[in-house]
Amino acid sequence: MRLVQLRKPAAVLAAGQSVGAGDDGPVLVDRLERRVRYLRVSLTDRCSMRCTYCMPPEGIEHVDRSEVLSLEEVARMVAAFAAWGVERVRLTGGEPTLRRNLTWLVQRLTQLRTPSGAPLRVVMTSNGELIERLAGPLKAAGLETLTISLDSLDRERFAAITRRDKLDQVVAGFAAAHAVGLPLKLNTVAVRGFNDDELGALCRFAWQHDATPRFIELMPMAGGRLFVPGELMPAAEIRERVGAELGAVVELADQPQGPFGPAQYYVLRGGAHDGRRFGTIAAMTENFCGSCNRLRVSATGQLHACLARDDAGDLRGALRSAQGEAGAAALERVVRTALGHKRDAHGFEQTGEGGPRKAMISIGG
Ligand code: SAM
Ligand code: SF4
C-alpha cells in the first residue's frame, strides 16, 4: 500500500498519520499504520431500555436535540468516510431504531461507493424492540446484517437486566428479521452469576434463526460506575461453558469477517451441534487493540479514536462550519487529528478503573 499524502497540514501530520492513497484510491491510516476500514456511528443517545451495565436507572442527562446530528449530516459525513476508503459502517446508539427516517438513511448510505467502486456495507446493532415492524423496510433499504442484543431468554431475567419487560417484542423482532431474510447476529453480554447458565440456550436460539451468537465481555464504562468486577466472565470461561453445556469441543474457526470487527469465532466439534459457530468479543482478557481498524462517531458528532477514551474531535463543528470543498477540508482536519491520537491499547482494568468517564450510551456502542 502506498501512503501518499493528499494534502499536507504540517502540524497534523507531525502528530500522527494521514489520509493517504492505496492502490484503489484514498485510505485512512493511523499513526501505527493500521488502516481504518470500519466506522461506527451512533444515531442517538436515547434508548427504550436501561441495561444495567450501560445506563443508570435514572438521572440521565440527554443532550438537546439540536446537538444531535441530523440524518442528512450523518449521510454527508459517512459519504466523506466512504470516499476515504472506509468499507463498512455500523449504525448504533443508544437505540438507532428510535430515529425517524432510519430506513431513508440506510438506503442513502447503501448507495455510497468506496474508491474501489464497491458499495459501502451498512450494518446495524439494535435492542430488537422495534424490529418486528422495521425488518422488512430495513432489508429493502439494503441493510447487510442486523445484530440484535439479547442477554436472557428468561422473562424475569430479561426485565431485570434491561429494566424493561420487553422480551416478547425482542423475540418477535428476531423472528421477523429471520423471516425477511436479514442476516442476523446475536449479541449477549456474558454476566457471571446472571446468565452464565444460559449460554448454550442462547446459542441454540440464535442458530434456530440462522444467526451467529457472540458473547461480549463486560466492559467498565462511565468511570466504572456500572461495573461489578466479579461479574466479568472471561472469554476462555465463556468458551468452556458453551462447550460443556452443548457437549462439544470448542475449536478456533476460520475467521469469516476478514479485517472487520473485534469478534473471534469458534466452532463446535462433536455433540448435537457439530459444526456450529459462535464468537467472543474479549476486550478485557484477550485484547484486540493491536488490530483495531475502527473509528466511532457519537450522536453529537464527536469522533472517538477509541471506545475506552474520552477525548474526541468535533466533527459536528466541522460539518456545520461549511458545505462543499471547505466542509470536506474541515472534516479531514478533524479525522487526521484523530488518526494521530489513535492508541495501541485501551485503559480498561478488571477492577473497573481506567475506562472513559463517558457512558456507552454517550459514545455509542
Ligand atoms: N441499543 C443497541 C443494543 O443494545 O444493541 C445498540 C447500542 S448498545 C450500546 C451496543 C452493544 O453494546 C450491545 O450489544 C450492548 O449489549 C453492548 N454493551 C453496552 N454496554 C456494555 C458494557 N458495559 N460492556 C459490554 N458491552 C456493552
Ligand atoms: Fe439501550 Fe443498548 Fe444500552 Fe441496553 S445496551 S441500554 S438497549 S443502548
Side-chain angles (χ1 to χ4, degrees), residues 44 46-55 92-96 125-128 149 151 161-162 189 360-361 365:
T44 175
R46 288 161 200 258
C47 190
S48 51
M49 298 192 191
R50 290 282 177 280
C51 300
T52 53
Y53 46 71
C54 180
M55 289 175 86
T92 181
E95 178 47 39
T125 304
S126 166
N127 66 23
S149 302
D151 295 338
I161 201 140
T162 63
V189 179
M360 185 75 98
I361 198 99

